[in-house]
Amino acid sequence: MAILEDNKSKANVTTDMVKEQVVTFESGNEMAAMAAAQINYHIMGYFPITPSTEVAQYLDMMKARGEHDIKLIPADGEHGSAGICYGAAATGARVFNATSANGLLYMIEQLPVQAGTRFPMVMNLVTRSVSGPLDIRGDHSDLYYALNTGWVILTAKTPQAVYDMNIMALKIAEHSKVRLPVIVAYDGFFTSHQKRKVEFFKDRKVVQEFVGECPTDYSFARDPKKPVTIGAHMDGNDLMSNHFQQSEAIYRAGEVYQEVAAEYAKLSGREYSVLDLYKMEDADVALFLLNSAGESAKDVADKLRKQGIKAGVISPNIIRPFPAKEIREALKNVKALLVGERADSYGANGPNLTHEVKSALQEDKQNQTVVLSRVFGLGGKDFYADDAEAFFNMAIEAKDKGYAEKPFDYYGHVPGTPEKVLKPVIEPQHGDAYKTGLIQVTQDEETHKLKVKIPPLRALTAKPKRLASGHGACPGCGIFGGLELFFKGIEGDVVVLYQTGCAYVTTTAYPYSSHKQTMIHNLFQNGAATLSGTVEAFLELKRRGEIEVAEDATFVMITGDGGMDIGMGSAIGTALRGHHLIMLEYDNEGYMNTGSQMSYSTPLGHMTSTSSIGKTQKGKTFHHKDTAQIMASTNIPYVFTGVEAFPQDLLKKAAKAQWYAQNVGTVYGKILIACPLNWKSDDRYGNVIVEAAVNSNFFPLYEVEQGETTITYDPEAKKKKIPVSEWLKYMGKTKHLLKEDNKHLLEEFEVEVDRRWQKLKAKHETPLL
């Protein structure tokens, strides 16, 4: 079979040494999953985040087909996924993970723990811009946060390299001289999603024999009869020695990498030297570029060579440990080097790798290389051949002058001009436009509960929408119908915080916004805490007389798309503190903004992209989380559920929510909304589906007011009760539950729905429960 020249250098092996491989066209994410499946890790703890989500999705699909035995554990957030992985690694299991951007930052507290206690694992970092502002496309700002975590870091330029380095990474991580976790970093969307020609081993035994048996000669917590203590705190002397040993191990990882790469070359025919050197034999100008950008620059180097310019490209395959010795050797005769980096180290006059290259060259007193630094490609900004040529021209100019006029700069930024300042397309709406005087809320003197009078729905249609038309939601999306109906019950000004999710990403894309009143964004895990700070700042500024307002605004946090998984801790903390705000969850039963992954609100047996249907798996394996009951247990004054299909019910609850938020404390509300795209349902049937969810008792309508539960709509009393199967038939994601061979799963789901309904009825009938 042919030998791939992935790094433009042929492995020093003969064809007959190479094991049989299959040629295909796949993406980097697919190849990461392929490598993990062939290794057959014990555990993957994961949480979906673009663009790494596909790795878990592919593994879940393969799991459903019976192609591997990896236990896939969906975490409540990236911090949780890192904890799952650490616990599994400490037990002696082989462990795998994948993340991106803010996901890496959310788990970063755990990364030095894993490295410092020396437990191996492999994590794919599908590099992406770190917010804010939010941008889901690829740069290296997340990767640079990982540089000081103590993990070995390999960099993969192509989907082929992603596959190969994932296999090499485990062998390096578990090597007796290393025993450290390893990151395989590759470019989000450039490498993760673009399909390229790749080869993978036909027989997974080749991969498993290469990585070897899972080591057991270590202090793992795997045998209760051999007790160990892991992670004991240390004083300064011991910690100094511990970190010295860790430092020595990561430098040894550089040597082990070369050994493993040479061994792997014999199996695959693909060589991954420490540095990928292209036309560097006699180069006097060169570019230093990480990952996919290095591939783009090679064609330009060829073009310049034809013009008589000795141009070359350097791209490292490993950056932790940093290959200082190899860089000194490669730059021995280079007159000028431009280091291009997809991240910055703010205020340091150049990003991380620039300073590390310069530091490496200082050790060579004979070296006269002029080093320039340019930050480029942030937020996925494309890097074309013309850009690489511009980089080379900067290096050529520095070579000719013997110095760089501007050693550090950004490349490709566009300076703003005052005359082009953005002007609002939509006039912001004042609170008076949202006052109708038609909604009346009074408090009963005896029960202290609220009484609400609302007009016929048509009387509120003149009330302006809080969101302008022109958002980018999918056809049939239930979010905005549900939110707008809820807001019809809110009088006056609102300040709204949207956690990341469909409602946010479809209404704000700079320089556009669909929001007519103040909107703040923060990430899934911290929305409630952020808005609590906003509320308290507003009240304190008002108390001090630093702002004057006739009436207080109503503060509302909008969450959904799994935000009450990763954001649960923040929400509970906010509720316990009792801030004057409303937390409103739109429940679409999954992480829809990242492609319909399973969330804890996904019901039992429902299909998502990470709860696939196959011969060994029939959708989600555990029951959905009841967030309304969880929030009610925090003893906040008002909790409610609602749906757009019962508008009068939802309007009354919105009015109550506003009164309690302004006068007493925290409110939580949950509205079920349809997601036709990912529920695989007809766009027209959104209201029909959520109404059926209510009438089947899956999503009961009730409120918990001052600790007392009241069912506000009883399908049984109204003689509207339908079987759960009648609701499920509308959605493609649940059609398999209606088949005879899955009858047991449907029955289990029906029993749980009824159990929760009976408990709710008991609370309704007995106020003290």
Side-chain angles (χ1 to χ4, degrees), residues 432-505:
D432 289 344
Y434 296 105
K435 290 180 183 175
T436 65
L438 299 175
I439 300 173
Q440 298 178 12
V441 181
T442 57
Q443 190 173 31
D444 187 279
E445 292 183 2
E446 292 184 10
T447 65
H448 300 294
K449 290 186 178 181
L450 301 183
K451 295 180 179 180
V452 180
K453 287 185 178 181
I454 59 171
L457 188 58
R458 64 178 178 274
L460 295 174
T461 55
K463 200 172 187 179
K465 290 184 176 182
R466 304 279 182 173
L467 289 156
S469 58
H471 59 69
C474 302
C477 174
I479 293 175
F480 298 106
L483 291 183
E484 286 290 5
L485 182 62
F486 172 80
F487 281 129
K488 287 282 192 266
I490 303 291
E491 297 278 270
D493 285 314
V494 296
V495 174
V496 186
L497 182 142
Y498 282 75
Q499 291 189 171
T500 311
C502 290
Y504 161 70
V505 299

Side-chain angles (χ1 to χ4, degrees), residues 539-601:
L539 295 174
E540 183 63 16
L541 289 167
K542 180 183 175 184
R543 186 186 71 79
R544 297 187 186 192
E546 296 178 33
I547 57 173
E548 293 184 10
V549 289
E551 294 181 6
D552 289 350
T554 301
F555 292 82
V556 185
M557 183 197 82
I558 305 295
T559 182
D561 297 289
M564 288 300 283
D565 291 350
I566 190 171
M568 197 79 214
S570 175
I572 289 174
T574 298
L576 292 172
R577 294 190 299 270
H579 302 282
H580 291 264
L581 56 84
I582 301 168
M583 290 183 276
L584 183 65
E585 176 188 6
Y586 61 86
D587 180 10
N588 49 16
E589 301 182 350
Y591 302 132
M592 302 313 186
N593 65 306
T594 50
S596 183
Q597 293 80 37
M598 185 202 76
S599 82
Y600 290 174
S601 69

Side-chain angles (χ1 to χ4, degrees), residues 247-520:
S247 174
E248 290 292 289
I250 204 166
Y251 287 119
R252 287 196 300 270
E255 301 168 5
V256 171
Y257 172 85
Q258 295 183 63
E259 297 172 10
V260 172
E263 186 180 346
Y264 189 75
K266 295 177 181 178
L267 289 182
S268 66
R270 293 179 292 275
E271 185 177 17
Y272 294 93
S273 54
V274 171
L275 296 179
D276 176 12
L277 301 177
Y278 188 75
K279 302 292 178 69
M280 287 299 298
E281 305 83 11
D282 60 345
D284 56 14
V285 292
L287 303 185
F288 186 99
L289 296 166
L290 213 59
N291 281 354
S292 59
E295 297 297 287
S296 302
K298 290 176 181 178
D299 290 338
V300 179
D302 290 338
K303 175 182 174 182
L304 294 176
R305 286 273 172 176
K306 291 176 181 177
Q307 299 172 12
I309 299 170
K310 296 178 181 178
V313 181
I314 302 175
S315 190
N317 287 316
I318 180 170
I319 57 172
R320 279 295 179 273
F322 192 70
K325 176 183 174 183
E326 290 80 2
I327 286 171
R328 282 193 293 272
E329 183 64 28
L331 296 177
K332 190 174 294 184
N333 301 311
V334 173
K335 302 294 190 299
L337 174 75
L338 187 144
V339 181
E341 305 196 55
R342 291 187 186 268
D344 193 5
S345 178
Y346 300 113
N349 295 301
N352 296 66
L353 297 188
T354 295
H355 291 302
E356 295 185 18
V357 168
K358 288 180 176 179
S359 178
L361 294 181
Q362 278 192 325
E363 300 299 313
D364 181 0
K365 303 304 179 184
Q366 306 303 314
N367 187 280
Q368 299 297 315
T369 305
V370 178
V371 179
L372 304 81
S373 178
R374 292 294 182 270
V375 173
F376 76 101
L378 300 186
K381 184 175 172 63
D382 288 322
F383 182 71
Y384 296 113
D386 289 347
D387 301 314
E389 189 164 359
F391 278 9
F392 271 118
N393 288 335
M394 293 178 202
I396 292 168
E397 181 182 353
K399 174 184 76 78
D400 294 342
K401 289 183 176 181
Y403 66 94
E405 288 190 358
K406 202 163 190 180
F408 166 67
D409 199 3
Y410 273 58
Y411 171 81
H413 61 289
V414 180
T417 53
E419 59 271 18
K420 292 183 180 179
V421 65
L422 295 172
K423 294 180 175 60
V425 176
I426 304 167
E427 284 298 320
Q429 293 280 355
H430 190 273
D432 289 344
Y434 296 105
K435 290 180 183 175
T436 65
L438 299 175
I439 300 173
Q440 298 178 12
V441 181
T442 57
Q443 190 173 31
D444 187 279
E445 292 183 2
E446 292 184 10
T447 65
H448 300 294
K449 290 186 178 181
L450 301 183
K451 295 180 179 180
V452 180
K453 287 185 178 181
I454 59 171
L457 188 58
R458 64 178 178 274
L460 295 174
T461 55
K463 200 172 187 179
K465 290 184 176 182
R466 304 279 182 173
L467 289 156
S469 58
H471 59 69
C474 302
C477 174
I479 293 175
F480 298 106
L483 291 183
E484 286 290 5
L485 182 62
F486 172 80
F487 281 129
K488 287 282 192 266
I490 303 291
E491 297 278 270
D493 285 314
V494 296
V495 174
V496 186
L497 182 142
Y498 282 75
Q499 291 189 171
T500 311
C502 290
Y504 161 70
V505 299
T506 59
T507 57
T508 58
Y510 184 83
Y512 304 108
S513 175
S514 297
H515 298 271
K516 295 181 181 179
Q517 294 207 288
T518 299
M519 191 284 293
I520 304 168

